[in-house]
Amino acid sequence: MIKYLGSKRRLVQAIAALASGCGATTAADLFTGTTRVAQELKRRGAFVTAVDTATYSEVLAQCYIGTDAASLDHAELAEVIAELNALPGRSGYFTEVFCERSRYLRPENGARVDAIRDAIEERYRTQHLYPVLLTSLLEAADRVDSTTGLQMAYLKKWAPRAWNPLLLRVPDLLAGPGRAIRGDARHAIASIGPVDFAYLDPPYNQHRYFTNYHVWETLIRWDAPDHYGIACKRADSRSPATRSEFNSRLTMAAALGEIVSNIEATVVVVSCNDESWLGRDELVEMCAARGHVELLEFDSKRYVGAQIGIHDLTGRKVGSVSHLRNLERLAVCGPRAEVLCALEALRRQTEPVAGAVGTTPGRSGSS
Ligand SMILES: C[S@@+](CC[C@H](N)C(=O)[O-])C[C@H]1O[C@@H](n2cnc3c(N)ncnc32)[C@H](O)[C@@H]1O
């Protein structure tokens, strides 16, 4: 799984327990990112639709959610991965921009990315293995990168993992069907159809994921874009077209509220944290439009960049971050009986969720 800001590694079992508790056989993960949550829902037997605006996220979803492991020839896949791993490096755009002008990967690994990515494009573009091979390459690159998990910058000194050779692995695919949609969640909900369970995990500040993960966008699009600045960000990172309504304090609440109200789902779970523009009361108020609301709160470690601290361009520590922990919130809403069943399943799950600090008394909205 790639390093990703806001990835719900610690909450995934809690979210999936809520879905199982309401007996979900169909589900939507509307800001799917790494697809971590969608994968767990699929693993538990639901038909999942995974939605995100990012190209790399679409490919991850086509691999883990859209591909049925039972329909693949696993020997063939292993052979193709071995063939790609055996390719010698050949320096190209990726090496020059992300390993020489900037330092996201070691140049020898960058040259392997260039050679493997070209081969995937030339040999597998129209084949069903395409998203699986791209995912394998993306995850291999992530394992040897030299960042804190964000691509706004790279580390001054090479991370120890960056010295490891890039090595593709066969992704851990799941059996069963599912669907990947690239697009704005606000528009996608019209084509998803009714689902038993929907999970909403929007961005919570002004930083675009498009820019935070510009290297992965380019690796997947393979479009050699113009770039700017020390971090070599894509020129279109500044375009209004890559901005999300969820990256603006002015538009975020209304956009999320529209989805919460309009999505055809029985139980809806909305993620937020205490650093979000959306306060606790606003979140509960928004969710009350669907009926009963229960709010769960989890004490959580902030992203790794916050743990490392603030440094100047020479790598000197110049400040400390104000706090290292935050509260992750899950608002569970829908008809009272289904919401209570979902919560009961969460309470019954054998492994307690790390950091759970409690449930606030439920409140009921208009329906
Ligand atoms: C907090 S992250 C989700 C993390 C995800 N739950 C995980 O565990 O990996 C928010 C995601 O929303 C996506 N996004 C931003 N604006 C969007 C929009 N308008 N519609 C759909 N996805 C959007 C971003 O690309 C990013 O992947």
Side-chain angles (χ1 to χ4, degrees):
M1 199 77 68
I2 59 170
K3 298 179 284 301
Y4 205 59
L5 180 69
S7 177
K8 295 297 172 287
R9 185 165 66 84
R10 292 193 189 82
L11 291 188
V12 64
Q13 291 303 330
I15 297 161
L18 292 168
S20 299
C22 56
T25 58
T26 50
D29 180 10
L30 289 188
F31 299 84
T32 195
T34 59
T35 72
R36 186 186 287 279
V37 173
Q39 285 184 45
E40 186 55 32
L41 297 173
K42 177 174 173 181
R43 197 171 283 119
R44 293 180 182 222
F47 179 94
V48 183
T49 302
V51 179
D52 203 289
T53 42
T55 317
Y56 54 82
S57 177
E58 181 191 28
V59 159
L60 294 171
Q62 287 169 338
C63 169
Y64 288 115
I65 308 304
T67 301
D68 181 351
S71 72
L72 281 189
D73 178 338
H74 291 266
E76 180 203 1
L77 175 57
E79 227 171 81
V80 173
I81 297 269
E83 163 206 310
L84 294 174
N85 269 329
L87 288 176
R90 194 184 59 217
S91 180
Y93 176 93
F94 193 95
T95 314
E96 188 208 315
V97 176
F98 298 129
C99 310
E100 291 165 359
R101 283 176 190 264
S102 56
R103 294 159 25 111
Y104 291 96
L105 262 73
R106 296 272 316 148
E108 59 276 17
N109 279 333
R112 305 240 3 264
V113 169
D114 270 315
I116 294 170
R117 183 64 186 85
D118 278 341
I120 294 175
E121 201 61 25
E122 282 155 19
R123 302 176 197 171
Y124 301 101
R125 178 79 186 90
T126 56
Q127 301 203 19
H128 64 296
L129 285 184
Y130 186 66
V132 180
L133 301 176
L134 288 181
T135 295
S136 177
L137 177 58
L138 177 61
E139 292 180 342
D142 184 68
R143 282 193 294 273
V144 295
D145 81 335
S146 192
T147 72
T148 62
L150 278 176
Q151 297 168 350
M152 312 276 260
Y154 41 88
L155 296 177
K156 168 111 183 95
K157 281 193 194 153
W158 289 107
R161 65 170 174 270
W163 295 91
N164 296 332
L166 177 116
L167 192 67
L168 272 60
R169 298 179 189 156
V170 176
D172 217 349
L173 298 169
L174 298 165
R179 186 162 48 144
I181 297 179
R182 176 150 72 93
D184 186 324
R186 273 181 60 211
H187 306 134
I189 58 173
S191 59
I192 290 176
V195 289
D196 300 323
F197 182 87
Y199 176 58
L200 279 55
D201 185 18
Y204 62 86
N205 65 25
Q206 71 279 18
H207 299 297
R208 308 176 193 198
Y209 273 81
F210 190 84
T211 320
N212 281 343
Y213 296 100
H214 65 98
V215 180
W216 297 159
E217 272 297 318
T218 297
L219 175 58
I220 298 303
R221 293 182 181 213
W222 213 229
D223 54 355
D226 289 341
H227 53 85
Y228 67 94
I230 296 175
C232 293
K233 292 177 191 162
R234 299 174 59 93
D236 51 2
S237 296
R238 298 198 266 212
S239 149
T242 60
R243 192 172 175 82
S244 164
E245 282 182 312
F246 296 90
N247 293 133
S248 158
R249 183 191 282 274
L250 290 177
T251 49
M252 187 264 190
L256 185 59
E258 190 184 316
I259 299 177
V260 170
S261 299
N262 294 343
I263 184 158
E264 277 191 83
T266 310
V267 169
V268 174
V269 173
V270 184
S271 262
C272 249
N273 70 23
D274 59 354
E275 294 175 36
S276 163
W277 289 316
L278 200 65
R280 183 179 183 280
D281 294 346
E282 268 178 295
L283 172 65
V284 171
E285 187 68 30
M286 178 183 287
C287 292
R290 297 200 71 90
H292 186 74
V293 189
E294 296 279 343
L295 189 71
L296 307 169
E297 295 191 320
F298 303 84
D299 175 48
S300 178
K301 233 181 176 177
R302 292 180 81 214
Y303 74 97
V304 64
Q307 311 293 329
I308 287 169
I310 301 166
H311 297 78
D312 67 13
L313 284 176
T314 67
R316 205 163 45 93
K317 196 161 183 173
V318 291
S320 55
V321 228
S322 56
H323 55 294
L324 297 176
R325 304 195 72 84
N326 60 13
L327 264 191
E328 292 285 348
R329 299 190 171 118
L330 293 180
V332 189
C333 56
R336 184 182 162 82
E338 279 80 357
V339 169
L340 295 183
C341 273
L343 257 76
E344 185 48 33
L346 176 57
R347 284 197 195 98
R348 274 200 317 267
Q349 84 169 2
T350 43
E351 274 182 46
V353 181
V357 293
T359 317
T360 51
R363 68 161 276 187
S364 288
S366 48
S367 52

